Amino acid sequence: VENVPHSVEMWLALARLETYENARRVLNRARKALPAERAVWIAASKLEESQGHDDMVDKIIDKAVRSLAQHDALVSRAQWLKEAETAESAGAPLTAGSIARRTVGMGVDDEDRQRTWSDDAAGALSRGAVATARAILAHGLATFPSKRTLWLQAVELERARGTPASLDEVLAAASQRLPRTEIFWLVRAKEKWLAGEIDAAREILTEAFAANPDSEPVWLAAAKLEWETGEVERARVLLRRARDRAPTDRVFMKSALLERECKQYDDALDLIE
């Protein structure tokens, strides 16, 4: 590299052969020699990520984008997103996410941002770049925190490719941001129920009641939880309250079905009539 300081491949090859400390020195020298070469910056970020220095990743990628701009290096948004997916496939999801968050907004007209970012995330996910897609959606939601469609897309991503914990985190955030949108409360409660966390499901539905006191779906979900876990009296009380707060045909029908199952036929008939 002393003789060919402008060879990116030589710098990267040398860094790969070295220990962490030496590789760090090599890449620092490379960045000074080639400040407009994104591959060197990305390699430095991946190196820090590989050592568990997560806090360094965003700093390096931010410096990379600014350095390239200062040196008039033309890198399109599409090229950056491709770099993110490449980094993820190489086992550097934090670097991938940082690149996506920092560059996904480049050159996108304001009126096109939501649609563009939704499409970007869907495309990345279709290619298996989960961390990249997740970062794009996170950026979109930071910009459009009240867009139901983006939250639904984030929920579906976590349901398909995330963990129970990551799905719950997104559902909780969506519920807090859009408390009047029942679906997020209901799905979160159901996930807890299916995981055997009945008390947690009850707590979520209690919060949902506070935000949606007259919601038929919330009342029926709460009653169903109690009914199917053997708490029939609780279900009966909930359905009685539901008939006061959300007196719909479905509420009365579910109430009648409960009484019929409990062999309280006269009560069931009264409810139907």
Side-chain angles (χ1 to χ4, degrees), residues 153-187:
Q153 190 173 356
V155 167
E156 288 308 311
L157 183 152
E158 299 304 337
R159 192 200 298 276
R161 304 299 296 273
T163 64
S166 67
L167 174 58
D168 185 67
E169 184 178 342
V170 169
L171 287 167
S175 299
Q176 293 302 317
R177 178 57 68 173
L178 299 173
R180 300 286 292 172
T181 303
E182 300 144 329
I183 185 64
F184 299 120
W185 295 109
L186 297 177
V187 171

Side-chain angles (χ1 to χ4, degrees), residues 22 41 68 120-122 141 153 165 179 181-182 222 225 230 239 261:
N22 287 339
W41 290 95
L68 267 64
D120 288 337
L141 287 167
Q153 190 173 356
T181 303
E182 300 144 329
L225 174 66
L239 287 169
E261 185 169 294

Side-chain angles (χ1 to χ4, degrees), residues 108 111-121 144 150:
V108 181
E111 62 270 22
D112 295 331
R113 290 179 299 173
Q114 182 185 347
R115 176 187 55 79
T116 299
W117 295 338
S118 177
D119 290 346
D120 288 337
F144 300 109
L150 285 179

Side-chain angles (χ1 to χ4, degrees), residues 189-190 192-193 197-206 225:
K190 185 175 182 180
K192 291 294 187 184
W193 175 15
E197 299 179 43
I198 305 303
D199 287 341
R202 285 192 184 108
E203 289 176 11
I204 291 164
L205 290 172
T206 298
L225 174 66

Side-chain angles (χ1 to χ4, degrees), residues 31-37 41 63-74:
R31 281 186 282 175
K32 291 177 182 178
L34 300 164
E37 180 49 66
W41 290 95
K63 287 180 181 179
V65 173
R66 287 189 284 109
S67 179
L68 267 64
Q70 289 168 3
H71 290 85
D72 297 322
L74 298 177

Side-chain angles (χ1 to χ4, degrees), residues 31-49:
R31 281 186 282 175
K32 291 177 182 178
L34 300 164
E37 180 49 66
R38 65 183 184 274
V40 174
W41 290 95
I42 293 171
S45 177
K46 289 163 64 178
L47 176 67
E48 298 300 339
E49 181 175 351

